[in-house]
Amino acid sequence: MRYPIASVLGAVALCSSMAAQAEVTQSTDNGFVTKDVALVAARPKEAWLALISPADWWSSEHTWSGDAANLRMTPQAGGCFCEKIPEVDTPERFTLEGSVEHMRVIQAYPESALRMVGALGPLQSEPVTGVLTIALTEVDLPGEPARKGTRIVWEYNVGGSMRYEIPVISKAVDGVMSLQLAGLAQKLGAVDMPEQEKPELQDDGSAEDVSAVSDGESATKSNEPSSAYVDDETAPDEGATIETLGTI
């Protein structure tokens, strides 16, 4: 399904009014990093079980088939975050069943962290690498120290040569990442983020480090859809502007 570029960019404004906090934390000539944070009333186990079931919360408008029910994820190294493209069998048209790999799991720590690699949406046609790290941390709910919830940090790091204008595509991708996290948060019971919990930039312009989830380090130390879509035949020429991209 195609999604108007204006609507994708509008997702940034939409999600800023929800419980999730979002921003593009880094932007260079050949890549960008987006970070989104949400606080939910569910404990990490419940949050993890929901996270690995994207069919229940991913936006259908950001799938190739137009229906999030066709999404599935295998939460183990080498596992696929994939989508089934159902066959069509009508008097007017017949097609075989297809599939799409959105991302591949490279790290899965139940109730703590999930890391996947993959170029989402229009980035799939570009020679880029995208790494999505989602960290879950148990926290006290604001104003209710006796109740526990989960802080979800969602970081998408994209690098490589691409035919998109980085300042524009980074905001579009962040808007859709924010939309997906907001969907997960709403399913789990989104909680307003305290001011002190909002992401703060470091001196180098980056936000909290989520890389510590790797190499066996504690996931709590740390601090994927789909995004946007274009057909191969409508992929942008070098130097294309957002206006030439059509839909995303």
Side-chain angles (χ1 to χ4, degrees):
M1 176 177 289
R2 310 299 184 260
Y3 203 56
I5 185 65
S7 298
V8 175
L9 292 171
V12 177
L14 172 65
C15 292
S16 66
S17 64
M18 298 180 180
Q21 301 295 327
E23 61 184 329
V24 177
T25 60
Q26 289 186 22
S27 182
T28 65
D29 291 341
N30 65 344
F32 59 88
V33 179
T34 76
K35 179 182 176 182
D36 304 276
V37 183
L39 186 62
V40 299
R43 301 288 286 265
K45 182 174 184 178
E46 183 182 354
W48 174 263
L49 293 175
L51 172 63
I52 63 176
S53 303
D56 295 336
W57 51 268
W58 195 270
S59 170
S60 290
E61 293 177 318
H62 294 282
T63 62
W64 295 93
S65 65
D67 188 351
N70 292 315
L71 297 172
R72 62 178 176 82
M73 183 188 298
T74 303
Q76 57 183 263
C80 187
F81 172 25
C82 290
E83 179 179 353
K84 178 180 70 175
I85 307 299
E87 64 180 19
V88 175
D89 187 2
T90 67
E92 297 78 23
R93 183 177 176 224
F94 173 77
T95 65
L96 299 176
E97 182 178 295
S99 62
V100 177
E101 179 184 276
H102 290 282
M103 309 195 88
R104 178 170 45 83
V105 177
I106 59 172
Q107 188 177 110
Y109 283 92
E111 304 178 37
S112 295
L114 177 68
R115 177 170 289 153
M116 300 183 286
V117 294
L120 293 168
L123 300 175
Q124 194 177 75
S125 66
E126 307 302 298
V128 302
T129 298
V131 180
L132 176 62
T133 300
I134 303 171
L136 309 178
T137 305
E138 186 171 80
V139 296
D140 293 330
L141 293 179
E144 301 180 77
R147 291 187 61 202
K148 298 291 186 179
T150 303
R151 184 171 184 259
I152 305 174
V153 179
W154 179 301
E155 183 186 85
Y156 191 37
N157 189 338
V158 178
S161 175
M162 66 189 82
R163 294 166 290 177
Y164 295 97
E165 294 180 354
I166 298 293
V168 181
I169 191 65
S170 62
K171 291 181 180 178
V173 170
D174 184 51
V176 179
M177 294 294 93
S178 301
L179 188 65
Q180 307 304 348
L181 177 54
L184 175 61
Q186 287 180 333
K187 177 176 177 60
L188 292 169
V191 177
D192 289 337
M193 186 80 64
E195 192 66 31
Q196 64 270 24
E197 288 292 324
K198 295 180 180 179
E200 296 182 0
L201 296 182
Q202 307 298 321
D203 293 338
D204 62 356
S206 64
E208 297 178 66
D209 180 23
V210 298
S211 62
V213 181
S214 62
D215 302 325
E217 296 187 32
S218 171
T220 58
K221 179 182 176 182
S222 69
N223 352 68
E224 117 145 314
S226 77
S227 317
Y229 301 92
V230 290
D231 289 322
D232 288 341
E233 61 265 30
T234 59
D237 295 325
E238 185 174 357
T241 62
I242 202 68
E243 287 78 11
T244 69
L245 301 187
T247 55
I248 192 168

